[in-house]
Amino acid sequence: GTVEVGARVQVEWKGTWYNASVDASGNWSASIPASAIPAGESNVVLTMRATDHIGNVSTQTQTVRVDTLVNTLGLSGDIGGDGVINAAEHAQGVTISGFVEPNSTVEISLPNGATRTVTAGANGRWSADFASADLPSGDGVETTFTVTATDSVGNTDFFEEVVTIDTVAPPSPEITAVTPTKDGSGNAVGVRALYTEMTDDTYTFDRVDASGSVTHISATETDNQTFGETEFRFGSNVPDGSYLVINNADAAGNSSSTLLIVNTTSSVEVDLDRAGLSHFDFAAVDLTWAPDAQLTITDTQLHHLTGSDHTLIIKGDSRDDVTLDGDFHATGTRTMDGQSYTIYTLDGGA
């Protein structure tokens, strides 16, 4: 500041007096050491006292705002809801949201260079959207979101949040045999059990009847080490005409379902538009246990019934008829479990 030429100036800061330097023109300055400045946010009363050459004293005070930090930077919840981004969440994109000192600038970045910069509102809330293309994919891949905030006076703070990316669905259940239910005349009228390749995965079962109603079915699981199979015996009969959905879900929430057509006695025309099927993410349709099955699949049905990969395996035998209704093209073959499958690709890569 300025003072009468020849005066002495002292500055009091938090109980300690500091002598100022005064030049020949009366300009003065005093330095407060960093060690005397409290961290955090507070108000400090600064007292300035000048004494001229004949002993007159003048005092002035000023309140100084100290702000050395970004206040309360954090997330509103786990990214992806549980710290894991599965295939469905990945396909939809992910929103990162949190809180910080009001009106701060927040930058959120990924190791691959994807970055979003947003401004927190007057309530300190902020959010940023990352598209599917911004996110890495894989099975149990860890990635780090780095969140950096700068408040209105230039303080910065940051934190890192590690998230697991799991976009790989578990294998679809592989059915090796079914046990039919028979009536009093010995005629098969449905299915009371099925067998899959032995698995440690957790399978659940749902029946979709002709009206589209979905009913959960309980099953007792028994492993047969000799044959390498797992038997699932149902708590109630699955009648002919049912579409049986065998679901396999992993810890990340990715699911992979097989649609088993239950029709043990006669030819059947499979209706993939049956209400109730849209609740599931199908990886396979198994016609093996439905004699003389006829199935037509359109490009719309393919997208409607499958997850983000839009991939469907159709299993059957020479008695079954499968028609592809759309711009499908044979693009190669693939061998799975000793069986050779023709690959058909829909224009657009599906």
Side-chain angles (χ1 to χ4, degrees):
T2 59
V3 71
E4 181 181 326
V5 174
R8 178 189 178 197
V9 177
Q10 294 175 299
V11 174
E12 187 266 338
W13 173 271
K14 294 187 69 64
T16 300
W17 288 92
Y18 299 90
N19 292 320
S21 299
V22 184
D23 65 18
S25 300
N27 299 304
W28 64 268
S29 64
S31 296
I32 308 299
S35 60
I37 300 174
E41 296 177 326
S42 62
N43 293 320
V44 178
V45 177
L46 179 72
T47 301
M48 297 155 283
R49 183 172 65 195
T51 306
D52 68 11
H53 68 285
I54 61 174
N56 295 311
V57 177
S58 178
T59 302
Q60 220 175 49
T61 60
Q62 181 174 328
T63 299
V64 178
R65 178 65 177 170
V66 177
D67 183 353
T68 66
L69 55 76
V70 177
N71 205 344
T72 58
L73 173 63
L75 290 177
S76 296
D78 291 332
I79 297 174
D82 55 2
V84 178
I85 298 173
N86 62 28
E89 293 163 340
H90 189 284
Q92 294 171 358
V94 172
T95 297
I96 314 298
S97 59
F99 49 86
V100 72
E101 188 174 318
N103 305 311
S104 296
T105 300
V106 182
E107 181 184 273
I108 309 96
S109 61
L110 284 165
N112 61 11
T115 302
R116 299 290 185 274
T117 301
V118 296
T119 301
N123 61 357
R125 297 291 174 176
W126 57 267
S127 66
D129 297 326
F130 285 82
S132 179
D134 297 319
L135 304 170
S137 58
D139 187 3
V141 174
E142 289 190 343
T143 193
T144 302
F145 285 87
T146 300
V147 180
T148 303
T150 304
D151 69 10
S152 59
V153 297
N155 296 310
T156 61
D157 193 11
F158 81 98
F159 67 87
E160 294 180 338
E161 186 78 4
V162 178
V163 177
T164 300
I165 307 285
D166 187 348
T167 58
V168 179
S172 59
E174 184 74 22
I175 299 141
T176 57
V178 299
T179 301
T181 301
K182 296 183 179 180
D183 61 16
S185 302
N187 299 313
V189 292
V191 169
R192 63 186 176 90
L194 60 78
Y195 298 81
T196 69
E197 294 177 342
M198 188 176 290
T199 180
D200 292 327
D201 294 338
T202 300
Y203 291 169
T204 59
F205 302 87
D206 293 280
R207 176 170 64 86
V208 183
D209 63 23
S211 70
S213 176
V214 179
T215 304
H216 181 71
I217 301 175
S218 61
T220 302
E221 180 179 348
T222 306
D223 289 335
N224 186 320
Q225 300 288 343
T226 302
F227 294 101
E229 293 180 328
T230 299
E231 180 195 43
F232 294 93
R233 185 171 292 274
F234 303 124
S236 59
N237 177 51
V238 181
D240 268 2
S242 300
Y243 291 178
L244 181 62
V245 182
I246 305 103
N247 307 292
N248 186 12
D250 62 19
N254 299 308
S255 64
S256 181
S257 300
T258 293
L259 176 60
L260 177 67
I261 306 303
V262 178
N263 202 84
T264 56
T265 56
S266 61
S267 174
V268 61
E269 185 171 340
V270 180
D271 178 15
L272 291 182
D273 287 324
R274 177 178 287 192
L277 294 181
S278 60
H279 298 304
F280 305 97
D281 178 357
F282 290 105
V285 176
D286 196 336
L287 308 174
T288 307
W289 314 102
D292 303 319
Q294 292 92 48
L295 168 67
T296 297
I297 182 167
T298 67
D299 51 359
T300 300
Q301 290 168 333
L302 176 66
H303 285 81
H304 193 55
L305 297 176
T306 59
S308 57
D309 61 353
H310 300 312
T311 300
L312 187 67
I313 301 169
I314 302 175
K315 303 175 182 180
D317 56 34
S318 59
R319 297 174 300 167
D320 300 317
D321 257 342
V322 177
T323 302
L324 302 179
D325 183 4
D327 202 3
F328 291 92
H329 304 282
T331 56
T333 60
R334 181 185 301 170
T335 300
M336 292 178 289
D337 298 320
Q339 299 293 320
S340 180
Y341 293 84
T342 302
I343 299 173
Y344 289 89
T345 301
L346 186 64
D347 270 1

